[in-house]
């Protein structure tokens, strides 16, 4: 995860800028010129952020600062902060670049031709505007909000303020996305048993058939083209080995000898690309979210048509995300409203199957047992989504594949955020509390049993909620959901010899890393989450893997 305090305009000029000043700074720039500078800059930032250990993040910041910060600003920064590091105090972030891109599309002239004679002035104006936006990303009023009121109020308001920026700064890593898409779409969706079960439980919905019928390509082929586009831009992202030919896509030349047909490319671009005219209309219609954090218009259509059909990326990570959640959202936008609930249900079932695949038959020397969907002995109904048993420790898990709503994610309103969390994910806390309470009930007459597992020897129960939405890795979410779990669990009386630990929330990316470490290094996953729950009962720690060093490269041995 990335954490840094960016330099701001007020630190240089001792005053706070206004949004009107930002617009005035960039409105004279030809739109295509501004898009080119912002896109290439963001490519370089994303390239440094996706490297393992991020060894070049500071160097890339220095490189970008040198080309986009004028001598006046640079001189003041050096004089006032002579020991500051570009890693700890960056100027350029994907968030301020995307916020600036919104303003460029809304206010710059799309018809004015770019001029190389103005290039230096353009770059310096964009650098100055980014410095201004750093002040506007976190305002003085917001600072007051998170420093007043009770601890509870301050924490939930901080979570609401931070969640959008956190998601943007900490996207899913490509080395997780590529194996994930292969397993979910090449293995699990092709399994006739899984496919039939999902259709039976989700109103007959068949993911692969619906996607091909609506989009015009199979999921596999669509993903291949999307991944090819992402890889193409990666070749141009390294600012120290510049390949300007990879900074823009010409559809007339892109296919080459790749095996991708022009028809296939056009179908994919129809789901990924947008003209600046359409983007301007889309951005102007947004009224319920905070424009500093809401980049759904770019997430939905991460390729910008800039000149004679040529394309540039708004953000490299948005293209990568298309390889996972983009499959669902692409189909969602093409389905009639009445069919979308079946899509959401099918996606949740597919996510559950993916977690089963991850945890089943792990190759490890650890003495642990994973049981997917164990059933109650009396009724034969499903109990937990999955359980792990290791010695006297019982891990009870529920899996939630849902997503926060757009308003909850990007409004900055803690009330709206908590309402959506409660509606979609806190139900998992209630389910865990109820099932644990019944399985380990103090009164033997009320106690339920599992049909394949005895829990008489269990002395410690670790409740786990596995979540798919990457934004839910935000700090303080585990703390909030644990409070919900503790409230529900307190209504049950469990065996005196059993300790129910605090709730652990695990994002799917952390779970993937844990499985890789279990299989590669016999990382004791159960010990890690149990120990974390014991030493951090308020569960403030962001990740269950915090402090655990492991090589997470190529976490699954499957070729692209």
């Amino acid at each position: 995860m990335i954490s840094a305090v960016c330099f701001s305009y007020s630190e240089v000029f001792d005053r706070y800028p206004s949004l009107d000043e930002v617009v005035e700074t960039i409105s004279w720039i030809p739109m295509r010129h501004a898009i080119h500078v912002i896109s290439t800059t963001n490519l370089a930032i994303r390239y440094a952020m996706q490297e393992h250990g991020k060894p070049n993040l500071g160097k890339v910041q220095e490189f970008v600062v040198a080309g986009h910060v004028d001598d006046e600003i640079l001189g003041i920064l050096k004089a006032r902060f002579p020991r500051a590091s570009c890693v700890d105090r960056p100027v350029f972030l994907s968030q301020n670049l995307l916020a600036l891109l919104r303003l460029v599309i809304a206010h710059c002239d799309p018809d004015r031709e770019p001029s190389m004679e103005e290039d230096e002035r353009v770059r310096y104006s964009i650098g100055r505007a980014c410095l201004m936006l750093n002040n506007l990303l976190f305002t003085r009023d917001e600072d007051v909000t998170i420093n007043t009121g009770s601890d509870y109020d301050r924490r939930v308001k901080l979570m609401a303020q931070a969640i959008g920026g956190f998601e943007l700064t900490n996207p899913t890593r490509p080395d997780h996305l590529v194996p994930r898409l292969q397993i979910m779409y090449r293995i699990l969706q092709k399994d006739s048993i899984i496919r039939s079960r999902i259709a039976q439980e989700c109103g007959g919905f068949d993911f692969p058939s619906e996607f091909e019928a609506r989009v015009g390509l199979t999921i596999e082929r669509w993903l291949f083209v999307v991944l090819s586009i992402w890889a193409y831009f990666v070749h141009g992202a390294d600012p120290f080995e510049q390949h300007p030919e990879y900074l823009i896509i010409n559809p007339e030349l892109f296919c080459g000898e790749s095996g991708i047909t022009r028809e296939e490319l056009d179908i994919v671009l129809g789901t990924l690309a947008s003209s600046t005219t359409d983007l301007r209309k889309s951005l102007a219609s947004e009224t319920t979210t905070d424009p500093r954090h809401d980049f759904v218009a770019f997430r939905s259509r991460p390729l910008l048509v800039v000149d004679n059909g040529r394309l540039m990326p708004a953000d490299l990570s948005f293209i990568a995300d298309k390889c996972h959640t983009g499959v669902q959202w692409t189909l969602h936008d093409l389905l009639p409203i009445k069919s979308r609930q079946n899509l959401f249900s099918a996606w949740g079932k597919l996510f559950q199957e993916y977690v089963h695949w991850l945890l089943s038959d792990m190759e490890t020397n650890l003495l642990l047992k994973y049981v997917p969907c164990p059933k109650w002995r009396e009724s034969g109904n499903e109990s937990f989504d999955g359980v792990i048993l290791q010695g006297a420790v019982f891990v009870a898990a529920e899996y939630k594949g849902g997503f926060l709503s757009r308003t909850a994610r990007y409004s900055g309103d803690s009330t709206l955020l908590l309402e959506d969390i409660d509606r979609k994910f806190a139900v998992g806390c209630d389910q865990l509390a109820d099932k644990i309470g019944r399985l380990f009930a103090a009164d033997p007459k009320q106690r339920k049993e599992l049909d394949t597992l005895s829990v008489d020897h269990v002395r410690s129960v670790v409740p786990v909620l596995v979540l798919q939405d990457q934004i839910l890795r935000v700090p303080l979410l585990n703390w909030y959901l644990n409070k919900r779990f503790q409230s529900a669990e307190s209504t049950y009386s469990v065996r005196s010899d059993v300790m129910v630990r605090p709730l652990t929330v695990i994002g799917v990316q952390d779970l993937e890393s844990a499985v890789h470490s279990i299989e590669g290094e016999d990382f004791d996953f159960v010990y890690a989450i149990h120990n974390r729950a014991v030493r951090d009962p308020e569960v403030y720690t962001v990740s269950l893997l915090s402090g655990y060093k492991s090589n997470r490269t190529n976490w699954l041995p499957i070729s692209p």
Side-chain angles (χ1 to χ4, degrees):
M1 296 183 184
I2 305 293
S3 177
V5 179
C6 56
F7 275 120
S8 61
Y9 187 84
S10 62
E11 291 178 292
V12 178
F13 295 107
D14 300 317
R15 67 178 184 84
Y16 284 81
S18 67
L19 184 60
D20 289 340
E21 284 184 87
V22 181
V23 173
E24 183 180 355
T25 300
I26 54 94
S27 59
W28 67 273
I29 305 174
M31 183 184 291
R32 279 176 286 168
H33 202 153
I35 290 175
H36 177 82
V37 173
I38 293 171
S39 175
T40 54
T41 302
N42 199 18
L43 268 176
I45 298 299
R46 284 299 189 194
Y47 179 83
M49 289 176 62
Q50 74 178 19
E51 289 185 296
H52 281 280
K54 302 169 183 61
N56 294 308
L57 189 58
K59 292 180 181 178
V60 169
Q61 280 288 333
E62 290 173 1
F63 179 88
V64 175
V65 165
H68 299 78
V69 175
D70 59 62
D71 292 341
E72 178 190 15
I73 294 175
L74 198 58
I76 296 173
L77 284 175
K78 287 182 177 180
R80 292 189 173 186
F81 307 97
R83 295 183 177 83
S85 161
C86 281
V87 175
D88 299 326
R89 301 297 311 274
V91 174
F92 296 94
L93 309 167
S94 291
Q95 186 170 1
N96 62 20
L97 289 164
L98 288 168
L100 186 58
L101 184 59
R102 286 182 63 111
L103 296 176
V104 163
I105 290 172
H107 298 283
C108 290
D109 187 348
D111 299 321
R112 187 181 166 205
E113 292 292 328
S115 170
M116 286 307 298
E117 294 178 358
E118 296 180 327
D119 186 62
E120 182 177 76
R121 184 186 171 204
V122 169
R123 287 185 283 106
Y124 287 165
S125 294
I126 285 174
R128 186 171 288 241
C130 284
L131 205 60
M132 291 178 175
L133 282 170
N134 287 345
N135 269 123
L136 302 179
L137 292 178
F138 181 66
T139 67
R140 286 173 287 185
D141 288 343
E142 288 170 328
D143 184 37
V144 171
T145 297
I146 62 172
N147 284 288
T148 56
S150 67
D151 287 347
Y152 175 87
D153 289 339
R154 291 165 58 201
R155 287 168 185 165
V156 296
K157 288 173 182 176
L158 177 59
M159 182 166 58
Q161 287 181 19
I163 193 167
F166 181 89
E167 175 194 33
L168 194 65
T169 311
N170 298 277
T172 305
R173 294 186 54 83
D175 57 348
H176 283 252
L177 284 172
V178 174
R180 193 186 302 167
L181 74 87
Q182 292 187 78
I183 296 158
M184 291 183 73
Y185 304 125
R186 290 186 177 181
I187 296 177
L188 298 179
Q189 280 198 350
K190 290 186 176 181
D191 186 302
S192 59
I193 296 176
I194 293 174
R195 193 167 172 176
S196 175
R197 182 162 60 242
I198 291 175
Q200 184 177 2
E201 296 178 9
C202 303
F205 192 87
D206 185 78
F207 219 119
S209 299
E210 286 284 355
F211 190 92
E212 185 173 2
R214 302 284 178 177
V215 176
L217 283 178
T218 64
I219 292 178
E220 264 192 281
R221 198 61 186 167
W222 186 85
L223 285 169
F224 175 75
V225 179
V226 172
L227 197 57
S228 299
I229 291 171
W230 173 82
Y232 183 93
F233 286 123
V234 168
H235 282 297
D238 186 349
F240 305 118
E241 294 186 15
Q242 296 186 3
H243 293 280
E245 68 274 21
Y246 291 114
L247 297 176
I248 192 165
I249 283 180
N250 183 345
E252 300 294 334
L253 304 175
F254 178 79
C255 296
E257 299 179 1
S258 65
I260 299 170
T261 67
R262 180 57 193 270
E263 181 184 9
E264 290 174 328
L265 178 63
D266 288 343
I267 289 173
V268 172
L269 293 182
T271 63
L272 263 63
S274 178
S275 68
T276 54
T277 301
D278 289 342
L279 272 173
R280 178 175 283 187
K281 293 177 182 176
S282 176
L283 294 173
S285 68
E286 297 173 0
T287 59
T288 61
T289 55
D290 189 332
R292 298 172 302 166
H293 307 299
D294 185 354
F295 304 113
V296 168
F298 299 135
R299 289 181 181 275
S300 300
R301 303 279 177 156
L303 297 179
L304 310 182
V305 182
V306 291
D307 185 25
N308 297 322
R310 293 180 174 87
L311 305 135
M312 296 196 76
D315 191 286
L316 194 61
S317 73
F318 293 172
I319 302 174
D321 281 343
K322 289 291 183 180
C323 294
H324 178 222
T325 57
V327 173
Q328 182 206 340
W329 291 117
T330 297
L331 182 53
H332 169 274
D333 293 344
L334 296 171
L335 283 172
I337 294 176
K338 64 180 181 180
S339 299
R340 290 176 180 175
Q341 186 53 54
N342 285 335
L343 168 64
F344 290 138
S345 299
W347 181 261
K349 296 296 182 183
L350 182 60
F351 175 67
Q352 186 181 71
E353 293 292 346
Y354 176 64
V355 177
H356 291 331
W357 187 94
L358 280 175
L359 295 174
S360 296
D361 301 319
M362 289 182 287
E363 296 181 2
T364 176
N365 294 317
L366 300 172
L367 298 177
L368 57 83
K369 179 179 183 180
Y370 175 69
V371 181
C373 301
K375 292 180 170 52
W376 296 117
R377 177 170 295 172
E378 298 86 347
S379 65
N381 296 329
E382 180 182 312
S383 58
F384 304 93
D385 284 343
V387 301
I388 299 175
L389 193 60
Q390 184 179 37
V393 178
F394 182 89
V395 178
E398 293 291 322
Y399 312 142
K400 300 300 177 185
F403 299 92
L404 283 176
S405 70
R406 184 174 181 176
T407 303
R409 300 166 92 92
Y410 307 125
S411 67
D413 187 322
S414 59
T415 300
L416 295 177
L417 174 62
L418 296 187
E419 285 177 354
D420 212 44
I421 290 173
D422 288 345
R423 183 166 60 89
K424 295 177 179 176
F425 306 105
V427 62
C429 303
D430 298 337
Q431 290 169 340
L432 283 166
D434 178 69
K435 295 170 184 178
I436 291 170
R438 294 178 185 279
L439 182 61
F440 296 96
D443 185 348
K445 294 180 180 179
Q446 297 180 358
R447 194 177 301 157
K448 300 182 73 172
E449 296 180 338
L450 299 175
D451 64 351
T452 59
L453 288 175
S454 171
V455 296
D456 293 342
H457 66 292
V458 170
R459 296 296 177 265
S460 188
V461 178
V462 182
V464 168
L465 198 59
V466 180
L467 305 179
Q468 178 176 219
D469 194 343
Q470 180 74 1
I471 204 171
L472 296 173
R473 298 174 75 221
V474 67
L476 296 176
L477 178 78
N478 199 155
W479 162 80
Y480 175 76
L481 287 176
N482 178 56
K483 291 183 73 67
R484 175 65 178 262
F485 171 78
Q486 295 294 337
S487 176
E489 196 267 335
S490 66
T491 63
Y492 295 88
S493 177
V494 300
R495 285 167 27 196
S496 59
D497 60 345
V498 171
M499 174 67 73
V500 179
R501 302 297 180 183
L503 175 74
T504 295
V505 175
I506 303 176
V508 65
Q509 180 168 289
D510 283 336
L511 184 64
E512 291 163 347
S513 295
V515 170
H516 170 56
S517 299
I518 291 169
E519 296 191 323
E521 306 172 33
D522 281 337
F523 166 52
D524 197 334
F525 168 72
V526 173
Y527 171 81
I529 58 176
H530 183 265
N531 184 56
R532 174 188 183 235
V534 171
R535 62 183 171 80
D536 182 16
E538 295 292 321
V539 283
Y540 289 124
T541 311
V542 174
S543 169
L544 71 101
L545 295 177
S546 295
Y548 179 79
K549 297 180 180 179
S550 63
N551 177 12
R552 303 177 191 175
T553 307
N554 298 325
W555 64 273
L556 284 170
I558 299 177
S559 60

